[in-house]
Amino acid sequence: MADEGLVREEEIKRKNAINKLKKIVRVWVNTVAYDYALPKRYLRFASGTILTYGSYGLGVHNSELDIDALCVGPYFATLEEDFFIVLHSMLTRRPEVSDIHCVKASRAADELGYGKHRTPPYATYRVISKDGVMQDPVPITIPASVMMHDFTITEKYAIMMDLLLYFRPKEMVKNKQLAYIFDPTKKARFGVLPRYAKNESLITWFELPNCFIFHNANAWEEEDDVVLITCRLQNPDLDAINGTEKEQQRDDFTNEL
């Protein structure tokens, strides 16, 4: 019980720290908006916040782990001055802040995304540079339209998922079931694509045991290997989602990390 009390106390401290950061960011947004002399009608739409991710966002953290947090600011705030100078100055003046470092050369500046489609090639991958330049989409040709609910990236690669939840709208109308069907007779696979590839010829596909994955937790590189941490459903129960699940079906549900 004593350990549970310490864990609870630590969790409260972390939540309070995040809430304080959110308040600081809101004050920062108002300060920057005032410095730019923005019309008052724009001020009510100017906002900023702190978003958590990683182990803290997934709820699998402990007292020894850092909190991964992302500051989201308004479009008119500049990175070089408003973030690294104005916000930095506001944080250093806080008595509870003991140490702070600016990492202006951070490489986490590009935006990467994917799209899934109902027609060939069924998926695309795209990079938007830190300067806001949108690169041409890279087609990711897969055999059919699938539920590609997530993808992940490492420093050098993007990892696409061609899994076994297939889009079947005709079955939805004909049999009054979900538009997606899990087909265990097909092959599940991952595609590893260089992060800044210009065409899909550079993708390498790897087969894996039949499964479906909603979200990945993390990915990184170890020499020539790419390591992926994910939550794998061996036999996703679509009847449970559709409200037609029978009690005995739950015994066959398997979820693995």
Side-chain angles (χ1 to χ4, degrees), residues 54-55 58-61 150 190 208-209 211-220 227-235 253-257:
S55 59
L58 291 171
V60 293
H61 59 282
D150 194 11
F190 287 131
L208 68 156
C211 66
F212 183 73
I213 294 167
F214 279 104
H215 289 291
N216 302 301
N218 200 359
W220 63 91
V227 180
L228 173 67
I229 303 297
T230 191
C231 192
R232 184 169 67 94
L233 297 172
Q234 288 187 349
N235 48 344
F253 181 81
T254 304
N255 190 7
E256 293 185 345
L257 186 65

Side-chain angles (χ1 to χ4, degrees), residues 73-86:
Y75 72 94
F76 52 81
T78 64
L79 189 65
E80 294 78 9
E81 183 172 346
D82 298 323
F83 184 80
F84 282 119
I85 297 178
V86 178

Side-chain angles (χ1 to χ4, degrees), residues 92-163:
T92 55
R93 292 198 299 266
R94 303 283 301 195
E96 60 267 54
V97 176
S98 59
D99 196 10
I100 184 171
H101 299 279
C102 288
V103 186
K104 295 184 179 182
S106 173
R107 290 173 289 181
D110 297 326
E111 294 184 14
L112 302 100
Y114 74 102
K116 53 183 182 291
H117 314 286
R118 299 179 184 177
T119 57
Y122 298 117
T124 52
Y125 169 74
R126 170 169 268 168
V127 176
I128 303 175
S129 73
K130 61 182 179 181
D131 300 319
V133 178
M134 183 179 294
Q135 306 296 327
D136 291 336
V138 178
I140 306 297
T141 302
I142 53 179
S145 179
V146 297
M147 168 71 84
M148 192 179 294
H149 195 69
D150 194 11
F151 88 124
T152 190
I153 59 173
T154 68
E155 183 178 356
K156 297 179 181 178
Y157 299 102
I159 304 173
M160 313 298 292
M161 300 190 296
D162 179 18
L163 304 178

Side-chain angles (χ1 to χ4, degrees), residues 6-7 10 14 61-66:
L6 291 174
V7 170
E10 180 66 27
R14 287 172 171 248
H61 59 282
N62 58 45
S63 60
E64 297 179 356
L65 296 178
D66 295 331

